[in-house]
Amino acid sequence: MHKQVVFPEFLGESELAVVVVIPSLKEDMSHLFKRFHAGEEIDYWFSWDLVVTDSAEYLVLLEMNWDQEESLVVAFNREMWEFLNVMAEKQSMVLMADWQIVDEGAPDLLREEEFKPYALLIRNVHTGLDKLYNHVKELVGVNEGIEELIQLQLILEGTQFPKPTTLH
């Protein structure tokens, strides 16, 4: 299985989603974007995890998978963890590979005839943060005094608020 680990260059929020800009995706995932632009429906799944690097830095990972053999791992370092609360609140994330959408704004670009964004919408991105929270809580109990873990636990506690129920 091919796994690519990337770090966001920019994190922000719109009215509807957390916006994550990773310019390298435009080239690295061009085959996937071509399939999206051709109108193909592509199933994906994702999970949240916590890893510690060789330099003892904790990273929160969002691993996205599709087509059984491909995946993308987005790594969030300590400075980015505050966005986990926003992700839980917005429940959607847009991974963007093109600064043009941020610079010019999507409404202006949508008027262009051949607008094909290099962006992936992840719905229900908060799914799995509860498991990550429980894992971090366990680690804090076993590894007392690790400031990064304590901070992450406090941040993730903010993602545990009840979600509104939508009935159809």
Side-chain angles (χ1 to χ4, degrees), residues 16-18 44-48 62 64 84 86-94 121-130 163-164 166 168:
L16 303 174
V18 170
Y44 67 91
W45 55 101
F46 61 88
S47 62
W48 290 96
L62 173 65
M64 295 180 40
L84 295 172
V86 182
M87 289 177 205
E89 178 187 327
K90 302 286 183 179
Q91 301 183 15
S92 294
M93 175 193 299
V94 178
L121 173 64
I122 304 168
R123 298 179 196 275
N124 301 313
V125 74
H126 63 287
T127 304
L129 285 176
D130 56 338
K163 308 293 187 258
T166 305
H168 296 280

Side-chain angles (χ1 to χ4, degrees), residues 98-134:
D98 197 342
W99 277 105
Q100 183 183 11
I101 297 173
V102 175
D103 292 340
E104 296 180 25
D108 291 337
L109 292 170
L110 287 173
R111 290 186 204 109
E112 295 180 15
E113 243 178 78
E114 290 296 315
F115 177 63
K116 293 182 179 177
Y118 291 91
L120 302 172
L121 173 64
I122 304 168
R123 298 179 196 275
N124 301 313
V125 74
H126 63 287
T127 304
L129 285 176
D130 56 338
K131 291 177 187 169
L132 178 62
Y133 169 71
N134 291 332

Side-chain angles (χ1 to χ4, degrees), residues 135-155:
H135 178 65
V136 170
K137 190 175 175 180
E138 264 181 42
L139 290 174
V140 167
V142 174
N143 302 295
E144 294 179 23
I146 298 179
E147 185 182 323
E148 275 185 296
L149 286 175
I150 294 168
Q151 178 190 8
L152 182 56
Q153 180 184 0
L154 292 172
I155 290 168

